[in-house]
Amino acid sequence: MNFGLRMVSEPDQAPIHSITLFVALLCACILIGHLLEKHRWINESITALAIGLCTGTLILLTTQGRSSHILLFDEQLFFIYLLPPIIFNAGFQVKKKQFFRNFMTIMLFGAVGTLISFTIISLGTAQLFKKLDIGFLDTVDYLGLGAIFSATDSVCTLQVLDQEETPLLYSLVFGEGVVNDAMSVVLFNAILRFDLSHITSSSAIHLLGNFFYLFGASTALGIAVGLVSAYIIKKLYFGRHSTDREVALMILMAYLSYIMAELFNLSGILTVFFCGILMSHYTSHNVSESSRVTTKHAFATMSFISEIFIFLYVGMDALDIEKWKIVSKSPGKSIGVSSILLGLVLVGRAASIFPLSFISNLTKKSQSDKIGFKQQIVIWWAGLMRGAVSMALAYNQFTRSGHTQLQENAIMITSTITVVLFSTVVFGLLTKPLISFLLPRKHTMLPSDLTNLKLLNLPLLANGQDSESDMNGDHIPRPVSLRMLLATPSHTVHHFWRKFDDSFMRPVFGGRGFTAHVHDSPPERIIH
């Protein structure tokens, strides 16, 4: 079993050489990223890309242009091993109160906005690529491109934004990024399920129905696994005997949710995200304090390493001589495709953010609660970056085990790498200066933020815990009339959910205030 990895080495060389060098590069990314931490616009993603490019260049020189890789792996490695920790950690660490407080706006940007961007990119590539004569691309490829380039890189964006300086923007961008990733993958999987060579009204309905089935079933599976893990740990009370078992069970149950979704041909990303939310809300409060701290940092660490791994490999793969030899036969087409894709990303993002912000503002009664034009520009710009999900989907669509011999597929892969590199480096570097210019520090916080300072100064990513007053439902207006129900739907839904959660869910599945304190167990005895 090679787990999707193959060593790029001579027959007389041990495979351990390649692994050693790659692990050393991962360490270098972390060290250099730490040294550059004070320059917030230079994040680990850019650092890993730069180190990958430099390493790829050195390998090209030492192998006389034969390869730029240390390791080769197929596209499934992205989905089976690297993306699950990233997405699960996003759900597990999400500040639930802030996420659901802005839920309607986040869903508007993340779900409807992704569909708008998907439509524009798909139609744009179908019309413009035909003029370039890059080769044969069918309807599935054009729709796949729409899903690939609709996926924003929320990881890179969050490393650039500062939740202390821009709490509302941080909330919206993070929430939109997570929903956007899930929507993009669900769209991509729905497209691959059908033969769309001849689109009819019935096939369009089938595609739409399959999309909603994937979305609903994947969400339900994630919720179910999360609740099962909470119930098991609450009833068996592992913490009295072994924190090791608690930690192991939480990690394995989280990964089980993703693998089960893949087994049932569902969206693993959506499943593992909602599993993360449920395990954060219930399971993590049923374990001992040491297990809670351990799992929190374990999930964050696995996510961090996966992100660095992906960007480091993308940096090296950007110099893959195999693909560039094919593309070099028609460099003008490659440049044209990259330019068209980047232009469509800009247009698709603008067509989703600005109109949807206008619609969102129509639902806000107070002027101070509306998203200003400068804030809209920042949200639009921050979501222009493309990263891990786009690369994973592109490899899945246009390569086989990391290789391709078709010109059109090679052009699509190299163009995807170009867009990811350009958007991550250029847009990533300019995001911080743009925020400083549009929203100077003394004006960064919106009037609505000042009104709700106690709520918004809590970061969306949970570095701490919700205040007890929040968890007990304080500060949430009780709906006393239909007018109030319609005027403040988020607060009203939160009020009824809190009542339902406290009355039915937490007594069964545990949670804060409903689980007896679990004292840390003594360390496991080692049997010699």
Side-chain angles (χ1 to χ4, degrees), residues 345-392:
V345 166
L346 294 168
V347 174
R349 182 72 180 169
S352 61
I353 293 300
F354 295 113
L356 294 179
S357 295
F358 175 77
I359 295 174
S360 176
N361 288 340
L362 291 178
T363 65
K364 306 293 176 61
K365 302 298 182 181
S366 173
Q367 185 69 27
S368 62
D369 292 330
K370 298 181 179 181
I371 305 173
F373 183 68
K374 291 183 178 180
Q375 285 77 32
Q376 295 176 33
I377 294 177
V378 172
I379 295 173
W380 166 75
W381 183 270
L384 293 177
M385 288 169 273
R386 299 296 181 267
V389 175
S390 294
M391 285 302 309

Side-chain angles (χ1 to χ4, degrees), residues 17 19 89 147-148 165 226 234 249 299 375 387 403 476 523 525:
H17 293 171
I19 298 178
N89 187 62
I148 289 168
E165 296 180 4
K234 180 175 183 290
L249 188 61
F299 290 135
Q375 285 77 32
H403 295 281
I476 303 173
R525 289 191 301 171

Side-chain angles (χ1 to χ4, degrees), residues 344-461:
L344 290 174
V345 166
L346 294 168
V347 174
R349 182 72 180 169
S352 61
I353 293 300
F354 295 113
L356 294 179
S357 295
F358 175 77
I359 295 174
S360 176
N361 288 340
L362 291 178
T363 65
K364 306 293 176 61
K365 302 298 182 181
S366 173
Q367 185 69 27
S368 62
D369 292 330
K370 298 181 179 181
I371 305 173
F373 183 68
K374 291 183 178 180
Q375 285 77 32
Q376 295 176 33
I377 294 177
V378 172
I379 295 173
W380 166 75
W381 183 270
L384 293 177
M385 288 169 273
R386 299 296 181 267
V389 175
S390 294
M391 285 302 309
L393 296 180
Y395 272 96
N396 189 64
Q397 178 74 8
F398 297 110
T399 69
R400 294 295 177 267
S401 297
H403 295 281
T404 180
Q405 298 296 329
L406 299 176
Q407 179 187 13
E408 55 269 25
N409 288 352
I411 290 176
M412 291 300 103
I413 290 296
T414 54
S415 297
T416 303
I417 292 173
T418 301
V419 172
V420 169
L421 286 173
F422 184 87
S423 63
T424 300
V425 176
V426 176
F427 297 153
L429 287 173
L430 294 178
T431 298
K432 184 69 176 182
L434 181 69
I435 294 176
S436 299
F437 174 74
L438 292 176
L439 304 173
R441 189 175 182 86
K442 61 181 180 180
H443 299 303
T444 297
M445 193 168 291
L446 303 177
S448 58
D449 298 333
L450 294 174
T451 303
N452 301 283
L453 182 59
K454 184 176 180 180
L455 294 178
L456 286 180
N457 63 8
L458 296 173
L460 185 66
L461 290 179

Side-chain angles (χ1 to χ4, degrees), residues 504-524:
F504 300 100
M505 299 297 289
R506 293 192 183 196
V508 176
F509 299 105
R512 179 176 301 151
F514 285 79
T515 303
H517 177 68
V518 182
H519 295 284
D520 293 342
S521 66
E524 296 279 353

